[in-house]
Amino acid sequence: DGGNCGDGGSGGGDCSGVDLVALGNPHLSFSEVESLAAMVGGGGGAKHRDVRVIATLSRFVLEQAEAAGHALTLSEFGVEFINDTCWCMLGDVVPFPPIQSARTLITNSGKYAHYAPGLVNRSGFKVRYSGLAGCVAAARTGRAPPRPPFLAALRGCAS
């Protein structure tokens, strides 16, 4: 069974390894893009070679990010952009390679963390939830950060 590792879902198992960071889903705001650019551009290391980072945002926010220089900072870190759609629900209509090959993803979207196991519907697929800083840490290390204490006690969550 696919499962949710970070919010009490029934997936269980080890969810510490991460190979896909999904940001937005549906869309990042400009302030989130600004924060994300500051996190990845302020030192702290490169993106892990085995992790893909995909950010969904509107065309308008992408234009703002490009004008502010944030899109370049994020691209240099290895962030891929998808705009004007939420790719997380395209699997049955348009096969989307990152989600087809991912084993464990981490997202900053509570909505996607909840719905992804059912949308992907693939045995062994795991989902973690974290804030932007935790997602950036996972992008750098290929490992999910420890769960916050309020989630640690929930049944079905991996360490």
Side-chain angles (χ1 to χ4, degrees), residues 46-48 51 136-144:
K47 183 186 75 62
H48 190 281
V51 176
V136 169
R140 286 186 167 126
T141 65
R143 309 289 293 170

Side-chain angles (χ1 to χ4, degrees), residues 115-133:
Y115 288 111
L119 291 170
V120 174
N121 194 23
R122 188 176 72 236
S123 178
F125 180 74
K126 303 292 182 188
V127 176
R128 291 292 302 258
Y129 170 78
S130 188
L132 278 178

Side-chain angles (χ1 to χ4, degrees), residues 5-16:
C5 304
D7 67 359
S10 60
D14 178 22
C15 299
S16 58

Side-chain angles (χ1 to χ4, degrees), residues 143-154:
R143 309 289 293 170
R147 283 169 294 137
F150 72 92
L151 291 178
L154 291 177

Side-chain angles (χ1 to χ4, degrees), residues 99-115:
I99 202 66
Q100 288 181 327
S101 60
R103 294 177 312 275
T104 301
L105 74 77
I106 191 166
T107 182
N108 70 321
S109 168
K111 181 179 180 179
Y112 190 40
H114 176 75
Y115 288 111

Side-chain angles (χ1 to χ4, degrees), residues 2-94:
N4 224 332
C5 304
D7 67 359
S10 60
D14 178 22
C15 299
S16 58
V18 170
D19 52 4
L20 177 61
V21 178
L23 302 170
N25 294 321
H27 293 100
L28 290 173
S29 67
F30 179 75
S31 64
E32 289 172 310
V33 170
E34 195 171 40
S35 295
L36 184 61
M39 288 179 206
V40 304
K47 183 186 75 62
H48 190 281
R49 69 180 182 279
D50 296 330
V51 176
R52 287 187 75 177
V53 181
I54 300 176
T56 58
L57 60 169
S58 72
R59 182 179 321 204
F60 177 70
V61 170
L62 181 57
E63 288 170 0
Q64 289 179 303
E66 288 169 342
H70 301 320
L72 178 61
T73 300
L74 295 172
S75 291
E76 288 173 346
F77 181 73
V79 175
E80 302 170 55
F81 300 105
I82 296 177
N83 63 305
D84 295 338
T85 191
C86 181
W87 64 267
C88 62
M89 297 182 71
L90 295 177
D92 289 340
V93 180
V94 178

